[in-house]
Amino acid sequence: DMAYILRDKSFEFALKIIRLYKHLTEDKKEFVLSKQILRSGTSIGANVREGKNAQSNSDFISKYSIALKEADETQYWIELLYASQYIDQKSYESIDGDLKEIIAILTSSIKTVKSK
């Protein structure tokens, strides 16, 4: 079921973002971008969870759309962190790959519910 796959992927992604945040603050002494990516990157899964318990289709679409917006914002922060050399190419590609998967599932889920 896509809902469970998305729930698990967004949870694992949040854990990855928390580890990145720790690395950025403890090792790189970077406190501004790290705070932004921590907020948006963990918010994806929180909104996915809320969407799972949605009261209606429009509520579901709203929560998943917020998750999609947060994923897009996280992509922006990860691109900035990479461009400013706070993270290496391997970390960037790993996180970006996860984000692309999550974005694809969110987009597909929203389209499916909208077509009902």
Side-chain angles (χ1 to χ4, degrees):
D1 187 335
M2 271 306 180
Y4 291 105
I5 292 169
L6 182 59
R7 187 195 67 193
D8 293 347
K9 280 189 182 299
S10 60
F11 186 81
E12 288 302 317
F13 184 75
L15 289 176
K16 188 181 270 194
I17 290 296
I18 291 166
R19 287 191 293 272
L20 173 64
Y21 174 78
K22 283 182 169 178
H23 166 70
L24 288 169
T25 56
E26 292 169 11
D27 304 335
K28 301 283 186 176
K29 306 295 180 219
E30 196 299 311
F31 302 100
V32 180
L33 300 175
S34 56
K35 191 75 125 192
Q36 297 288 348
I37 200 166
L38 178 68
R39 189 202 54 71
S40 65
T42 56
S43 175
I44 300 165
N47 281 288
V48 165
R49 284 281 174 98
E50 285 186 45
K52 199 172 75 65
N53 302 311
Q55 305 297 310
S56 64
N57 281 353
S58 64
D59 189 25
F60 174 88
I61 290 167
S62 170
K63 296 299 179 204
Y64 270 40
S65 295
I66 293 168
L68 192 56
K69 183 180 78 67
E70 296 291 348
D72 196 44
E73 183 183 329
T74 303
Q75 215 164 21
Y76 173 76
W77 296 123
I78 206 70
E79 286 167 14
L80 262 182
L81 285 163
Y82 178 56
S84 59
Q85 300 177 335
Y86 277 109
I87 59 170
D88 61 18
Q89 188 170 354
K90 186 173 172 265
S91 298
Y92 169 75
E93 286 173 357
S94 170
I95 292 171
D96 189 57
D98 290 345
L99 272 170
K100 283 181 176 146
E101 264 187 81
I102 289 169
I103 288 169
I105 297 169
L106 282 167
T107 303
S108 162
S109 300
I110 291 167
K111 280 182 183 161
T112 301
V113 172
K114 277 185 176 175
S115 70
K116 285 181 181 171

